[in-house]
Amino acid sequence: MHNRGMGKYDVIVIGAGAAGLMCAGTAAQCGKSVLLLDHAEKVGKKILISGGGRSNFTNRFTTAANYLSQNPHFCKSALSRFSAADFITMVEEAGIAYHERNHGQLFCDDSAKQIVELLMQPCREFGVKIQLNTIISNIQKNEIFELQTNRGVFQADALVVATGGLSIPKMGATPFGLKLAEQFGLKIVPPVAGLAPFTFTGKEKEELQELAGISLGVSVRCRGKVFREAMLFTHRGLSGPAILQISSYWKPGDELEIDLLPDQEITSLLKLKRLSRPLAQLSTVLAELLPKRLVQLLASGHINDDRMQQLSDKQIEHLAYQLHHWRLKPNGTEGYRTAEVTVGGVDTNELSSKTMECRKIPGLYFIGEVMDVTGHLGGFNFQWAWSSGYTAGLAVAGMI
């Protein structure tokens, strides 16, 4: 028997992902009656697949500089109210074993299920009513919020929207939260796919396909941003952490500038090789520094394969410049199908950075990825979910 009656709660949270679970548990711990709704058949679906099933649940070095937003200061208040260190303390107190990978990324030793369980524990203990497979057909606000659903009508004094972004639709992502914001007259920063691989067309696509499977450490630059990590050539174009990071800043028509040898000073290195190995082919020397197939591609289109002794200083300097400033123009990204996040969302100017509440509509809150705050790769988006969820959880309970 489903309860099809009228349910009245202090708080309704829409979206049982990272931010929604955090908010629901926090508000319930503060003594509020909470209903958590989701259209999916289980909670925390994105948490479960994150980090290869081990959940990159935060980043030890989280700061406001790790987030994109039209208002770069918006995230500071929530991040300081509930920091990465605070979430790490929760993980440690729950006895969850974890390890650190490069750049401060933290992962469970065992399974992402432990993070979902960590968030579910206060929901269970403090009586959050969780209702899945719930489709919301209409939301209105008179004195209070009223939600019409396929499981009955529900009312609440406060409504928290934690519906996430548009990335990975096969995991259940929808524009529900953005449409709701528009219904209430809030401005939206147009959403685009972030942390997504690049695609190419024509000759560039054919050339890059030949390199599929090759990975190397690079420094990639676009719009004044630089990321120094691995790049992976794929059958469709470019991927890997450095590429995913820069994709959040890239706009159609932009070129990427890639330093293929960020650790080397190529000019002086090649001049030394010209002295020590005058008869070696340039391609032989380069193949000691870069993957052979990449050297062949560069040699066929960009450099003459002479013996080292034949190269003038000017040719060496020109070649070094090309290796440090390889330019490619993507035709696009793979889009939401594979994007890890959505850049854009509910305009933060509509919200209080202290509480996540709408300035125009008291009692309406937006948290997590549905708003225009997007983290870099490496645990930062989960940290924003925890920080914004915790903040709104306290705010709906009148604790802020």
Side-chain angles (χ1 to χ4, degrees), residues 225-295:
K225 282 284 171 187
V226 182
F227 288 98
R228 170 77 203 279
E229 284 192 70
M231 174 174 81
L232 172 70
F233 292 93
T234 71
H235 286 291
R236 287 187 290 273
L238 293 176
S239 190
I243 294 298
L244 297 181
Q245 296 280 35
I246 208 76
S247 75
S248 294
Y249 294 88
W250 177 87
K251 301 266 194 298
D254 286 349
E255 272 191 329
L256 306 176
E257 189 178 285
I258 301 166
D259 186 342
L260 293 167
L261 290 160
D263 291 327
Q264 308 271 8
E265 212 290 283
I266 294 296
T267 306
S268 43
L269 183 76
L270 290 178
K271 286 178 180 176
L272 282 172
K273 295 282 187 192
R274 185 173 58 184
L275 287 173
S276 62
R277 299 169 63 188
L279 299 177
Q281 296 289 121
L282 173 59
S283 59
T284 307
V285 171
L286 289 178
E288 290 160 12
L289 302 169
L290 289 165
K292 201 165 184 178
R293 277 188 285 158
L294 178 56
V295 172

